[in-house]
Amino acid sequence: MLDTRFQAAYLQPTSTLPCSSAFATSLCSASPSVFLDKHKFSNYVKPWVSNTARLPDCTVRFPQHGNAKRLQICFISLSEQPSSSQPAEQNNVKSESKIRVEGLTRTAANGLPILHGVSLRVKAGGVHGLIGPSGSGKSTVLRALNRLWEPPPGTVFIDGVDCTKMDVISLRRHVGMVFQSACLFDGLVAYNVRYGPSLRGIHLSDERVEELLLKAGISEPDKNFLSKSVNELSGGEAQRVSLARSLANEPEVLLLDEPTSSLDPLSTRIVESTVLELQAEGLTVVLVSHNMDQVNRIANTATILLKGSVLQTGSLEELKATDNAVVQQFITGHMD
Ligand SMILES: Nc1ncnc2c1ncn2[C@@H]1O[C@H](COP(=O)(O)OP(=O)(O)OP(=O)(O)O)[C@@H](O)[C@H]1O
């Protein structure tokens, strides 16, 4: 039986998605802590996926009969269930860092190391770039920050509180994440943007939805766009709708995993301006980007990761001033 919080989550709107077994595998490895009904899982997914442990991101249900390549996904990441532990804001611990990572280590199921003792700090209201070559562990660090995989206790702190001690649903509302490839719910654009607040009984007006879409870089988001099916969106539009959906929750921290990878230069600049505007209002941002120009435009601090270890972390000025030639190559965008 599932934890009662997650049974409740089953009642949330669902999305049915045709998919290949490869997609199912990547879904579960990208979100290794999805809660699921273990019986259905073992019937339908075991051949595809080895990690059955946890799924904080969404609930994945598999049909009892019929086409095993249709996943029914019940998203819970934006819902607010009763807290089983103290959320950060109710805890009186004060911290200079909005985010503190201390000796974060992860080892893959096959024993291969992914992260070795990563430590970094992000000040409240800062934009922190996570830089490094492909496979260096940037997304793994990012996903630990809102427990898309469960970091070891005592390694990830938000406002000084160990994130593993927080209610995961509350954590995710305050620490929003936008993935490189948008993962939208079946249905209309407006439904997606309204989804998080609607779970708290808040209905966003069309005007507010349009405003959020505009902030996310959609130019002239009119009623026609709001009533568009997400299946009709381009990759770049879907990425921006996904950003608008995160912004609708008014997060305190936004985790951005290459948020402009599918965008044209103009839309990229609009998203960057939004990040800077929100930062001015106090939002803390962690940005994974391969684009060093972008990091230079919007980040004030950064961490360079290399093979799962921190090469250097600090302000961009400190990184630029270092004598380390490898750091210099990263920071000037001459190595990736
Ligand atoms: N669940 C997992 N099981 C096994 N290996 C994993 C898992 N998650 C990540 N890895 C491996 O860990 C390494 C770091 O992956 P990660 O996605 O964090 O890198 P990245 O720096 O974000 O890469 P990119 O820039 O290409 O997105 C990769 O070699 C990846 O294959």
Side-chain angles (χ1 to χ4, degrees), residues 98-102 154-163 166:
K98 186 79 180 169
I99 299 169
R100 182 159 56 90
V101 178
E102 293 285 357
T155 57
V156 176
F157 300 85
I158 308 289
D159 285 329
V161 180
D162 183 341
C163 80
M166 297 177 192

Side-chain angles (χ1 to χ4, degrees), residues 139-177:
S139 299
T140 306
V141 170
L142 201 69
R143 292 204 298 258
L145 302 182
N146 71 352
R147 287 172 60 188
L148 287 174
W149 66 276
E150 194 71 3
T155 57
V156 176
F157 300 85
I158 308 289
D159 285 329
V161 180
D162 183 341
C163 80
T164 63
K165 303 281 187 289
M166 297 177 192
D167 173 72
V168 72
I169 306 300
S170 173
L171 170 71
R172 295 231 188 91
R173 191 168 91 74
H174 296 289
V175 181
M177 179 150 179

Side-chain angles (χ1 to χ4, degrees), residues 29-30 32 51 106-110 112-115 132-141 143 180 257-258 288 290 305:
S29 62
N51 189 344
R106 187 178 193 195
T107 306
N110 60 10
L112 288 176
I114 299 174
L115 298 178
S134 189
S136 57
K138 303 179 294 294
S139 299
T140 306
V141 170
R143 292 204 298 258
Q180 187 176 1
D257 199 347
E258 299 189 49
V288 168
H290 282 283
L305 286 173

